[in-house]
Amino acid sequence: MMFSSSLEHNFTRPNERGEYEVAKGISSTCFRAILDYFKNGVIRCPPSVSVPELREACDYLLIPFDASTVKCQNLRGLLHELSNEGARVQFDIFIEELIMPVMVTCGQRGDRECHIVVLTDDDVVDWDEEYPPQMGEEFSQIIYSTTMYRFFKYIENRDVAKQVLKERGLKKIRLGIEGFPTYKEKIKKRPGSRPEVIYNYVQRPFIRMSWEKEENKSRHVDFQCVKSKSITNLAEAAVDPGPDQVAV
């Protein structure tokens, strides 16, 4: 009885002007346009209402927001919202089919972060075993997918992907475009010094993320060392400690 009274108070009680607040925060112009959906199944976005505002109102009222239900003069704004939704759906597919298997492989060997480079299906990686790249690329995981490469070309898609990864609990997320070495072009040999290897680099998307829970503690060494007052030389301190030396 008390629960039903609370619902009655929150949803069916008018405000001080005798009005019922159905969707607080939604403008009257936007709400009036949305009412047309229940009449003819189509919402025509008024010029004074932005597409993101209409999209937010539709989400709040559980009304489908797509090209069949929303008609808008601002095609750029409408297509931007539709592309954002499409990007979320597409990136979820990438996660399940391509990204998650790579992350699982990293986790199975004890890693708690992952750096993935997205190459096209036609890219060929041919590193010289004697002279590999010197930038740490050997620790990168590679996904060959022209579809994902094209997806990440757009900064808006990278923003959507970053938000999705955050929502799924990942941290320290970085997405962008970086140079990646594919094959050795030439070697410059100089007398008395290490040969300089020139690699061909291509600009490709990358994703970096972490699932480490205690990242701050992992990078902090907490220890104390109490030395004997009689030892003043570090070389002596390295020898077996005497009875008056204590290490904690």
Side-chain angles (χ1 to χ4, degrees), residues 31 183 230:
F31 188 70
Y183 59 87
S230 61

Side-chain angles (χ1 to χ4, degrees), residues 2-15:
M2 184 170 58
F3 183 70
S4 62
S5 298
S6 176
L7 286 177
E8 208 173 272
H9 175 77
N10 290 333
F11 296 105
T12 63
R13 189 172 180 178
N15 59 21

Side-chain angles (χ1 to χ4, degrees), residues 88-213:
R88 291 184 68 90
V89 174
Q90 182 61 64
F91 189 63
D92 280 335
I93 296 175
F94 287 149
I95 289 178
E96 298 304 322
E97 295 183 357
L98 299 174
I99 298 175
M100 191 61 186
V102 174
M103 296 170 65
V104 169
T105 300
C106 292
Q108 288 175 339
R109 62 170 178 253
D111 293 339
R112 298 183 185 273
E113 59 185 1
C114 189
H115 184 102
I116 298 174
V117 177
V118 182
L119 302 182
T120 69
D121 294 327
D122 297 327
D123 284 332
V124 176
V125 176
D126 184 18
W127 293 349
D128 189 292
E129 294 183 1
E130 186 177 358
Y131 302 106
Q134 299 298 313
M135 299 296 290
E137 284 85 356
E138 65 273 17
F139 300 110
S140 299
Q141 309 301 311
I142 298 175
I143 291 178
Y144 291 94
S145 172
T146 301
T147 304
M148 195 190 302
Y149 161 76
R150 294 182 65 253
F151 176 87
F152 280 122
K153 284 197 309 179
Y154 304 102
I155 188 171
E156 292 94 341
N157 287 353
R158 298 201 294 269
D159 290 340
V160 170
K162 186 173 184 178
Q163 183 60 37
V164 171
L165 293 173
K166 281 184 177 179
E167 292 171 359
R168 302 193 69 166
L170 296 169
K171 298 183 295 184
K172 295 191 294 184
I173 302 164
R174 291 182 57 212
L175 295 97
I177 306 293
E178 67 180 3
F180 188 79
T182 52
Y183 59 87
K184 181 182 66 178
E185 287 189 332
K186 58 183 177 179
I187 300 178
K188 292 183 179 180
K189 295 185 177 181
R190 300 175 181 175
S193 63
R194 179 181 175 83
E196 180 183 356
V197 183
I198 307 298
Y199 270 86
N200 175 70
Y201 278 75
V202 293
Q203 297 296 312
R204 294 293 181 263
F206 74 91
I207 315 171
R208 185 176 181 87
M209 52 210 155
S210 169
W211 51 93
E212 185 179 9
K213 287 187 176 182

Side-chain angles (χ1 to χ4, degrees), residues 7-68:
L7 286 177
E8 208 173 272
H9 175 77
N10 290 333
F11 296 105
T12 63
R13 189 172 180 178
N15 59 21
E16 64 276 6
R17 297 188 299 273
E19 300 170 336
Y20 292 89
E21 296 184 3
V22 178
K24 190 174 182 180
I26 299 177
S27 68
S28 59
T29 305
C30 183
F31 188 70
R32 192 178 299 112
I34 288 176
L35 288 178
D36 289 339
Y37 173 78
F38 299 100
K39 297 178 182 178
N40 49 38
V42 175
I43 302 172
R44 298 192 178 277
C45 184
S48 60
V49 176
S50 68
V51 180
E53 179 186 355
L54 181 61
R55 170 61 187 269
E56 186 176 346
C58 288
D59 290 345
Y60 180 81
L61 297 171
L62 302 179
I63 295 175
F65 186 96
D66 54 48
S68 64

